[in-house]
Amino acid sequence: MSKPRSLALPPRTRTYRLSTARGEFAVLDTAPPAGVPRHGTALLLPGFTGSKEDFLALLGPLSEAGYRAVAVDGRGQHETPGPRGRAAYRRKALALDAVAQAAALGDGPAHLLGHSFGGLVARAAADLAPEAYLSLTLLSSGPGRVARGQRVRVRALRTALALLSKERVWSATRWLDTRGEEPGAADPPEIVRFLRRRWMRTRIAQLAGAGRLLVGDPDGTAALRALPLPLHIAYGAEETVWPVPDLAAAAARTGAHHTVVAGAGHSPNVSHPVELAARLTAFWDLAARDPRSRGLGSRDLSSGTPSAGAARNRRAAPGAAEGGRAASA
């Protein structure tokens, strides 16, 4: 998950409930400034125990680059109501929600970004209805289940939720609030109050369903390669929830545009929003210019040169852009 450092709304941000064919969803909707050419719309899906507020620091830089940026609470997350039953939080149901959200924005196909668990939902949505999107970005999210240590933690959380009250579990979940953030940093009281309020408002069934997918998600690399969309895999150099070598390998095997943000952990959207926004908008600009491009060029950004795996993938994928330039960290 991400932990916002401030709850201040960026300029030109509206808070409302987006009405869709699958119900209403709480959103933060940030428009570009007057006079700035508009380049498109981005739909941002939050991660496990997270919410739309995880993108607060990112909304402003994206909008200033000419993109309408819309962050959403998924069903059962924070300010979006959700059913109590487990069936409502299966992968397909969540994917259908994301497809409906993109349609309800009214701008045509959107750029889809999923952070962490939101990446699992975004993958499923893009696979279900690729025509609804201009591109897919997986931010700090792999093509399969989380790392072994994270699986242990998620299973422990799911067990605790089945046995104890949410109030009692809250204190035991504080470790989640520092995933990928600066160790030992003291949270301002308003942030602590927000985190607790968000936790208490999130449905137990949503947490259980998301946790089930995080620990048991099958490898989806082949499905990512088959998507008829430009693909971007981005994460921090100090990512902790998915193994960094696995993320780099997924980028190489799929021919994805590949961004590694130096100094960032699991939440570059919080710790490095300006840099991340520049990488995202550069990718979206490329995707808009060549929507048929499947391989925008995967690079090993630690050296700034194409990785051997990426080169092999480009040779094996007709139509991949040979000169694709990845964003550097």
Side-chain angles (χ1 to χ4, degrees):
M1 64 160 280
S2 298
K3 177 174 60 176
R5 295 175 178 175
S6 169
L7 298 175
L9 293 181
R12 306 172 309 280
T13 298
R14 294 186 299 137
T15 63
Y16 63 96
R17 293 189 179 277
L18 178 68
S19 180
T20 80
R22 291 179 61 79
E24 293 187 343
F25 296 85
V27 302
L28 298 172
D29 188 337
T30 306
V36 172
R38 185 158 169 176
H39 298 296
T41 296
L43 176 62
L44 315 177
L45 310 183
F48 186 49
T49 75
S51 66
K52 60 190 181 301
E53 287 78 13
D54 297 340
F55 298 108
L56 276 169
L58 190 61
L59 295 175
L62 291 180
S63 67
E64 288 161 8
Y67 284 87
R68 177 189 178 192
V70 183
V72 60
D73 285 341
R75 64 167 62 193
Q77 283 185 313
H78 193 206
E79 295 180 327
T80 295
R84 296 179 182 275
R86 292 184 179 183
Y89 302 97
R90 291 174 180 163
R91 181 196 305 274
K92 186 174 181 179
L94 300 175
L96 287 169
D97 287 350
V99 174
Q101 290 156 10
L105 294 177
D107 291 336
H111 296 285
L112 180 62
L113 178 149
H115 173 252
S116 194
F117 169 72
L120 276 63
V121 178
R123 283 198 285 119
D127 188 56
L128 185 67
E131 68 280 359
Y133 308 107
L134 292 173
S135 70
L136 171 62
T137 295
L138 304 181
L139 176 61
S140 305
S141 184
R145 62 184 183 174
V146 296
R148 182 176 181 180
Q150 296 295 327
R151 297 199 297 272
V152 171
R153 292 185 175 98
V154 171
R155 289 188 181 109
L157 176 60
R158 293 182 68 208
T159 299
L161 285 169
L163 299 175
L164 305 172
S165 69
K166 287 181 73 176
E167 184 68 49
R168 292 187 62 185
V169 175
W170 159 246
S171 61
T173 64
R174 289 291 287 154
W175 68 271
L176 284 169
D177 298 331
T178 57
R179 292 297 88 190
E181 303 299 331
E182 297 175 7
D187 297 324
E190 65 273 15
I191 297 297
V192 175
R193 289 194 294 270
F194 163 76
L195 293 173
R196 183 184 178 280
R197 183 170 66 250
R198 175 170 71 179
W199 168 259
M200 295 304 295
R201 288 180 173 178
T202 299
R203 286 284 193 193
I204 290 178
Q206 194 279 338
L207 294 167
R212 183 171 60 251
L213 289 172
L214 286 169
V215 301
D217 195 49
D219 187 277
T221 304
L224 284 174
R225 288 186 64 159
L227 278 178
L229 290 172
L231 174 65
H232 186 193
I233 294 178
Y235 51 91
E238 299 172 19
E239 165 67 29
T240 57
V241 178
W242 274 268
V244 167
D246 290 357
L247 295 176
R253 290 171 61 192
T254 59
H257 194 77
H258 184 194
T259 293
V260 180
V261 182
H266 186 57
S267 300
N269 44 308
V270 171
S271 63
H272 294 68
V274 174
E275 180 179 354
L276 178 62
R279 310 312 177 206
L280 291 171
T281 56
F283 165 69
W284 292 338
D285 290 346
L286 282 171
R289 288 199 297 269
D290 186 7
R292 295 173 299 175
S293 174
R294 185 57 191 90
L296 294 177
S298 177
R299 287 176 179 256
D300 177 352
L301 298 182
S302 62
S303 64
T305 57
S307 66
R312 286 193 298 271
N313 186 74
R314 287 197 294 275
R315 287 195 294 270
E322 287 292 330
R325 181 172 60 86
S328 59

